Amino acid sequence: MAIELRHLRYFVAVAEELHFGRAAERLNISQPPLSQQIQSLENSINAQLLERNNRNVSLTPAGNMFLEEAYQILAQVDAAVIKAARMQKGELGEISIGFTSTTPFMHKVTLSLRQFRERYPEVSIHMHQMNTKRQIAPLLTGRLDIGIMRNTQLPDNLEHRLLFRESFMLAVYDGHPLLEYAQLGIKLDMLAGHPLVFFEREVGTALYDEIVTLLAQAGVTPMISQEAGEAMTILGLVSAGLGISVVTESFTRMKVDGVQYIPLADNQSFSEVWLVNHKSRPVSAAADRLTRLLISNILNEKNE
């Protein structure tokens, strides 16, 4: 006979009550089937677990040992049931997220991550910084559950949701002559001839392409004086007077001494921030919870 969980529960009830009648009542079954099940259990394991006579029931040494093991097994099963239910609800598990170098400066995203961590501390979040185009392969293979990236061309197996749009700004150093347009905003064609600090092409692929296209539409051929791989490095180079930079609105959350931001007066273009996942591979419940929290925060901010 294969030992089933009910045999363990029957045995625990008898071992705790040391009375077949009370144990049967506790289990809501009649006494004869309970006695038969305990006897079958003993036969299956080739050990006497209980000493019984007309007056008393007591545990044998083997029964004492088996009771401790039964407690552990039943506790593990109960724990597994609880964990499975919590994972189904998204309260346990892991999430692997790809993000671009500017993502940590997007208030809507960082707020959602902080709230999710506070609400679901037992979900492990693994953040992987990589540019937009480098997120595509791990999203296809499943190494990333979701990706937060700029708008780009995606393969058919990936789908995206628009999280929000960011307007472009101009980052300049203190004393730069373009600061006289800080109140009115600056036109893109006024950037012609000014040294620019850019993302390295292989690091900020989406932003690089967007900004180059934006300048080309304004008739400006960018004069790139410096390239950098990190957002903070770009602003540091601007602060040092090595050039100015076209950046997105999220950059303005970075307060760097000697750097000021000017809005673009004639800029109707925006950089889109996407949430990307695989079309046919369902995201985990935890990733779905995070996604819904992020979208909810964005909608709430729009409505405020």
Side-chain angles (χ1 to χ4, degrees):
M1 181 190 80
I3 297 175
E4 301 177 13
L5 290 177
R6 63 187 174 90
H7 297 114
L8 299 182
R9 292 193 173 98
Y10 289 170
F11 170 72
V12 167
V14 175
E16 290 179 347
E17 297 291 344
L18 293 178
H19 191 281
F20 275 87
R22 290 195 298 270
E25 184 178 351
R26 169 175 154 183
L27 294 166
N28 200 28
I29 62 175
S30 60
Q31 183 174 334
L34 175 59
S35 299
Q36 292 172 4
Q37 292 295 325
I38 296 299
Q39 187 174 3
S40 296
L41 175 62
E42 291 177 318
N43 291 337
S44 296
I45 63 179
N46 295 317
Q48 184 179 355
L49 303 176
L50 298 167
E51 292 278 4
R52 42 218 189 269
N53 54 43
N54 291 335
R55 292 184 178 181
N56 299 309
V57 176
S58 60
L59 288 167
T60 66
N64 273 307
M65 181 278 296
F66 193 78
L67 179 61
E68 294 303 317
E69 297 292 334
Y71 280 145
Q72 292 184 34
I73 292 169
L74 293 174
Q76 289 177 348
V77 171
D78 290 343
V81 169
I82 292 171
K83 285 182 178 180
R86 293 188 67 200
M87 183 164 287
Q88 179 69 26
K89 295 177 182 178
E91 298 173 357
L92 289 176
E94 297 184 354
I95 310 175
S96 185
I97 304 173
F99 69 100
T100 63
S101 61
T102 55
T103 301
F105 305 104
M106 298 174 185
H107 172 68
K108 305 173 184 71
V109 176
T110 55
L111 172 65
S112 300
L113 288 170
R114 184 171 70 252
Q115 290 177 339
F116 187 86
R117 167 62 63 205
E118 292 170 352
R119 296 177 190 180
Y120 310 107
E122 294 180 79
V123 175
S124 298
I125 300 177
H126 306 287
M127 304 293 293
H128 305 274
Q129 181 179 327
M130 54 186 73
N131 70 36
T132 291
K133 292 183 179 178
R134 286 182 180 171
Q135 291 187 42
I136 292 175
L139 283 166
L140 289 171
T141 61
R143 192 166 72 87
L144 291 178
D145 297 309
I146 54 178
I148 300 172
M149 62 174 69
R150 301 283 175 178
N151 48 299
T152 190
Q153 185 173 356
L154 295 175
D156 291 339
N157 289 340
L158 298 182
E159 62 184 359
H160 78 277
R161 277 169 285 187
L162 173 65
L163 291 179
F164 51 88
R165 293 182 175 91
E166 284 194 295
S167 59
F168 285 100
M169 309 282 288
L170 186 68
V172 302
Y173 50 85
D174 283 345
H176 195 281
L178 291 177
L179 279 171
E180 66 177 288
Y181 302 98
Q183 298 299 320
L184 298 175
I186 191 167
K187 296 183 178 181
L188 283 170
D189 58 12
M190 298 171 64
L191 304 185
H194 289 281
L196 294 172
V197 180
F198 256 45
F199 269 110
E200 293 173 352
R201 180 67 176 80
E202 64 274 13
V203 174
T205 52
L207 270 183
Y208 185 102
D209 292 343
E210 285 183 324
I211 295 170
V212 167
T213 300
L214 196 65
L215 292 172
Q217 290 172 348
V220 177
T221 300
M223 185 173 68
I224 301 174
S225 62
Q226 299 287 331
E227 291 186 340
E230 298 290 338
M232 287 298 293
T233 305
I234 288 177
L235 295 182
L237 294 174
V238 170
S239 176
L242 298 179
I244 60 178
S245 186
V246 179
V247 298
T248 55
E249 190 176 356
S250 56
F251 275 68
T252 62
R253 295 188 66 206
M254 294 179 263
K255 306 303 180 184
V256 178
D257 288 344
V259 175
Q260 299 188 46
Y261 300 96
I262 305 174
L264 301 184
D266 57 355
N267 177 22
Q268 298 301 314
S269 298
F270 300 86
S271 177
E272 294 185 346
V273 178
W274 289 356
L275 185 69
V276 180
N277 61 272
H278 200 285
K279 281 183 180 178
S280 58
R281 184 186 304 111
V283 297
S284 67
D288 182 61
R289 273 189 182 273
L290 176 58
T291 296
R292 286 188 281 116
L293 176 61
L294 178 57
I295 292 173
S296 174
N297 282 338
I298 291 170
L299 290 176
N300 288 339
E301 187 166 297
K302 286 180 179 178
N303 293 330
E304 289 178 356

